Amino acid sequence: MPAPGRNEPCPCGSGRKFKQCCGNAALPVTGLPTAADRSAGYDLLDRIASLSRFADDVSLAFALIWQGIPHVDVDRLMDTPARDLFLEWVWFDFQLHTGHTIADFALERHAAEVGPGARQFLRATATAPLRVLQVAKVEPGHVHVRDIVDKGATIDVSERRGSEQLVRHEVTVARIVDYGTERQFEGAMLTVPVADKTAVAAAVRRGRRQTFRALQAGEEPAALLRMATGGAIVMEVVDLFDRPQPTVTVDGDEMAFAETIFGVLDADATRAALDASPRLEPEDEQPLDPEELARYAWLEQPHQAGGGPTRILGAVVLERKSLRVEVLSMPRARLAHAWFSSLVPKKAVRFKAIQVKSREAAAEAARSRTGPSQPELPPEIVAQIQREYYERHYREWLDIPVPALDHRTPREAASVKKLRAKLVALVESIEIQAARQAKEGEGFDASFLRTELGLRST
């Protein structure tokens, strides 16, 4: 169909001349969209999605996503970035009853309502599907990513904002948009925990197949595939936002922030008994409170030469008038009552109570134990201390049973085929932590983990 003349009525039905309406939208644009261009584009999409003619379409989109996630608290999630991801899918990926997306309709009928930069943003983003991407390499001004759902070659994205924010191995949901010869990230760019990447990718592939089969046949397969893929990504990422906090410990007990509290009658005798136990490891840090005498880690088993680290059952705080054992479940609190009652002479302590705290109260108590200010150390000394701490911690981690690895140590899991993917994800999460801290000048070298575990460097 030939384009109308510049002075002819615009085919969109606005009543204006083509040159003053959609013809104006065809003017060339130089440069990249600005934040104001993106905001104007999103505002236009929001207005169009609110039109009564699309009410049934938007309701169907809402039902497809939220009904696919059982027991979801929609009101709460709509106050999180999950809302932005959902709306983005509705605007750019969901097929309306007309066979268009809201973005298509905006460009065809309402393009003249926004400036050339916003139109450029809408046109480019309308062609870019939602993707789950893992960062392979970060360079100044460039991020190299791989699509973990559809796989394929590494993609080089020229994106200064992304190269400043993203680190290697990080997983994000975004669109890769072409602006001429330049590629940029667009969209909410929500982060997915790297430990969940394999499960998310598999669930997206499975959800895409199920959604695709449920949709009407005879429509454009490519458009439906994009819609189904994006919808599956939204459901999986929203489900991560709705994931409840852990409610059980690694022992299978219901989680509770509990303290077993003893009154101290003889501080010297109590401390002597605690110091003598091989299952109590003194902490080296100076006490924060004048009333505090010592702190210990309560170990499941005594440390043995060549036996590797052991699990920590709780934290022990000895003060002049009290002995507190901080644990994460009521069974452990009762175990602390029995164990410490037999460890410390009865004349030295007297059991008082087991106290349970909410998460909020426990966090507030931790914040309140701040003690007097100490002279500041030079930043380079602090960074060195932190590096040594983290490297020592993760060298010990190699030989500690990990619940996520079926309670095997990372060294053991490295030789178990079915656990290798989980192990790689755990190592990647540590590498992400190290890289993020390095941006603040506080990073540590995590490269030894792959060497120790025989994992391929990426």
Side-chain angles (χ1 to χ4, degrees):
M1 179 178 176
R6 287 176 53 75
N7 290 310
E8 293 180 10
C10 186
C12 76
S14 66
R16 289 176 287 181
K17 293 181 180 180
F18 180 66
K19 68 180 181 182
Q20 296 170 334
C21 190
C22 293
N24 185 45
L27 293 175
V29 180
T30 58
L32 297 171
T34 65
D37 293 331
R38 291 180 176 86
S39 180
Y42 283 135
D43 287 345
L44 176 60
L45 296 174
D46 197 27
R47 291 199 304 273
I48 292 173
S50 300
L51 297 175
S52 58
R53 65 183 297 180
F54 298 131
D56 289 343
D57 292 293
V58 173
S59 295
L60 175 59
F62 196 92
L64 283 173
I65 296 299
W66 301 107
Q67 290 183 12
I69 309 173
H71 315 301
V72 68
D73 184 345
V74 177
D75 292 336
R76 182 181 68 79
L77 289 173
M78 291 301 274
D79 289 330
T80 73
R83 172 185 181 273
D84 297 335
L85 184 65
F86 167 70
L87 291 178
E88 190 182 313
W89 175 74
V90 173
W91 293 337
F92 289 107
D93 304 292
F94 181 75
Q95 294 290 302
L96 304 169
H97 70 277
T98 62
H100 299 78
T101 65
I102 287 174
D104 293 335
F105 186 83
L107 287 165
E108 289 182 11
R109 300 294 185 90
H110 297 268
E113 296 179 21
V114 293
R119 293 194 293 271
Q120 178 198 31
F121 161 68
L122 291 174
R123 280 199 196 94
T125 308
T127 64
L130 268 177
R131 306 171 84 163
V132 185
L133 306 165
Q134 183 166 29
V135 178
K137 183 169 67 173
V138 179
E139 300 172 327
H142 291 265
V143 181
H144 302 264
V145 295
R146 293 189 183 94
D147 189 316
I148 67 171
V149 174
D150 294 320
K151 302 184 179 178
T154 301
I155 306 167
D156 180 3
V157 183
S158 302
E159 218 291 321
R160 190 163 303 281
R161 179 171 62 98
S163 65
E164 292 172 352
Q165 294 179 354
L166 295 172
V167 298
R168 188 165 171 253
H169 299 311
E170 198 160 29
V171 179
T172 185
V173 174
R175 300 174 192 270
I176 299 177
V177 176
D178 287 318
Y179 292 112
T181 59
E182 181 130 351
R183 284 189 179 127
Q184 288 214 348
F185 292 119
E186 292 290 1
M189 288 194 72
L190 301 184
T191 299
V192 174
V194 71
D196 295 310
K197 70 170 184 176
T198 302
V200 167
V204 168
R205 295 188 199 104
R206 183 171 59 252
R208 174 170 62 187
R209 291 193 298 269
Q210 293 171 348
T211 305
F212 191 74
R213 285 196 297 266
L215 294 171
Q216 293 181 359
E219 299 192 41
E220 175 58 44
L224 287 178
L225 184 63
R226 170 173 167 173
M227 172 180 164
T229 303
I233 290 172
V234 173
M235 280 191 279
E236 287 306 308
V237 175
V238 166
D239 195 39
L240 293 178
F241 273 90
D242 194 46
R243 178 182 294 171
Q245 294 294 321
T247 57
V248 296
T249 68
V250 295
D251 296 323
D253 300 322
E254 184 177 353
M255 185 174 285
F257 292 90
E259 286 185 337
T260 301
I261 305 172
F262 297 85
V264 172
L265 307 176
D266 186 333
D268 291 337
T270 301
R271 182 161 190 175
L274 299 179
D275 286 342
S277 173
R279 288 181 56 185
L280 294 174
E281 188 172 89
E283 294 188 2
D284 295 331
E285 298 179 3
Q286 292 295 318
L288 298 176
D289 190 305
E291 293 297 306
E292 189 176 302
L293 301 177
R295 282 178 173 258
Y296 307 82
W298 179 26
L299 307 179
E300 185 174 38
Q301 298 291 337
H303 277 304
Q304 296 179 2
T310 184
R311 192 164 53 141
I312 296 175
L313 298 180
V316 182
V317 182
L318 174 62
E319 297 176 338
R320 296 185 188 281
K321 297 296 183 182
S322 69
L323 171 65
R324 292 183 290 108
V325 186
E326 301 170 350
V327 293
L328 289 178
S329 70
M330 282 300 294
R332 271 198 201 169
R334 289 191 286 269
L335 176 62
H337 172 209
W339 194 80
F340 283 88
S341 293
S342 63
L343 174 70
V344 182
K346 289 183 173 54
K347 65 178 182 180
V349 296
R350 177 178 298 152
F351 173 70
K352 293 180 68 175
I354 293 177
Q355 179 176 299
V356 179
K357 296 181 179 179
S358 67
R359 291 176 183 271
E360 295 75 14
E364 182 59 35
R367 284 192 294 268
S368 67
R369 294 197 290 265
T370 54
S373 60
Q374 301 291 328
E376 290 191 5
L377 293 173
E380 61 273 15
I381 300 298
V382 173
Q384 178 64 25
I385 292 172
Q386 289 177 331
R387 277 194 298 273
E388 292 175 356
Y389 168 79
Y390 280 111
E391 289 174 17
R392 183 172 64 252
H393 169 77
Y394 284 113
R395 287 191 184 278
E396 293 180 350
W397 174 80
L398 290 168
D399 298 295
I400 296 176
V402 177
L405 299 175
D406 292 348
H407 297 279
R408 296 175 186 255
T409 70
R411 287 192 199 277
E412 293 169 341
S415 60
V416 180
K417 185 176 180 180
K418 70 174 184 177
L419 296 177
R420 201 167 179 87
K422 292 181 179 180
L423 177 61
V424 169
L426 286 175
V427 171
E428 286 178 348
S429 68
I430 295 168
E431 291 171 330
I432 289 171
Q433 176 192 3
R436 287 216 164 276
Q437 290 181 337
K439 286 180 175 288
E440 305 296 327
E442 301 174 352
F444 59 97
D445 182 9
S447 61
F448 69 89
L449 291 174
R450 289 182 180 271
T451 302
E452 293 283 342
L453 296 171
L455 300 178
R456 181 174 60 88
S457 297
T458 57

